[in-house]
Amino acid sequence: QVQLVESGGGLVQTGGSLRLSCATFGRTVSTYIMGWFRQAPGNERAFVAAVAYSGDTMYAESVKGRFTISRDNANNTVYLQMNSLKPEDTAVYYCGVTTGRLSIATRMPRTYSFWGPGTQVTVSS
């Protein structure tokens, strides 16, 4: 079993920044892919970014150039630095863990075995 806990969400104005963290507990996940997804009310959970153990990354087009995902393998923690935030970034942000290599499947929620409870990000206009 793996437990994940997200933190760092909050209320920010358009153009502001937030840094999300996701700490993992239980089974060591340092060799796993760790990903961030988000879900706005009435929408499905959508891929944001993922990072492999090697440090290779993958981003959704909507966040490229504004968000940066990184990980600390020694501490089993993944981060999401979010800059130039827009109202459309408002959502609950979830981190998840999966195995394998970065691929099209990495963008699909069903690929992930474990999830955190989420953290709310609200961007005001």
Side-chain angles (χ1 to χ4, degrees), residues 2-9 18-25 29-37 47-53 55-59 67-82 93-98 102 106 112 114-116 119:
V2 178
Q3 290 81 44
L4 299 92
V5 179
E6 303 93 341
S7 61
L18 283 174
R19 189 192 194 210
L20 305 184
S21 299
C22 174
T24 64
F25 307 91
V29 297
S30 59
T31 60
Y32 291 13
I33 292 172
M34 301 186 75
W36 286 98
F37 285 71
F47 173 75
V48 175
V51 58
Y53 170 75
D56 290 342
T57 57
M58 175 184 287
Y59 294 94
F67 291 10
T68 302
I69 189 171
S70 61
R71 65 189 292 167
D72 179 347
N73 289 331
N75 293 305
N76 291 321
T77 302
V78 64
Y79 304 98
L80 186 69
Q81 177 66 43
M82 305 187 295
Y93 282 70
Y94 299 90
C95 68
V97 173
T98 186
L102 294 178
T106 307
Y112 291 74
F114 302 100
W115 294 96
T119 185

Side-chain angles (χ1 to χ4, degrees), residues 105-123:
T106 307
R107 300 175 182 270
M108 303 176 185
R110 67 172 183 263
T111 301
Y112 291 74
S113 305
F114 302 100
W115 294 96
T119 185
Q120 176 71 47
V121 171
T122 303
V123 184

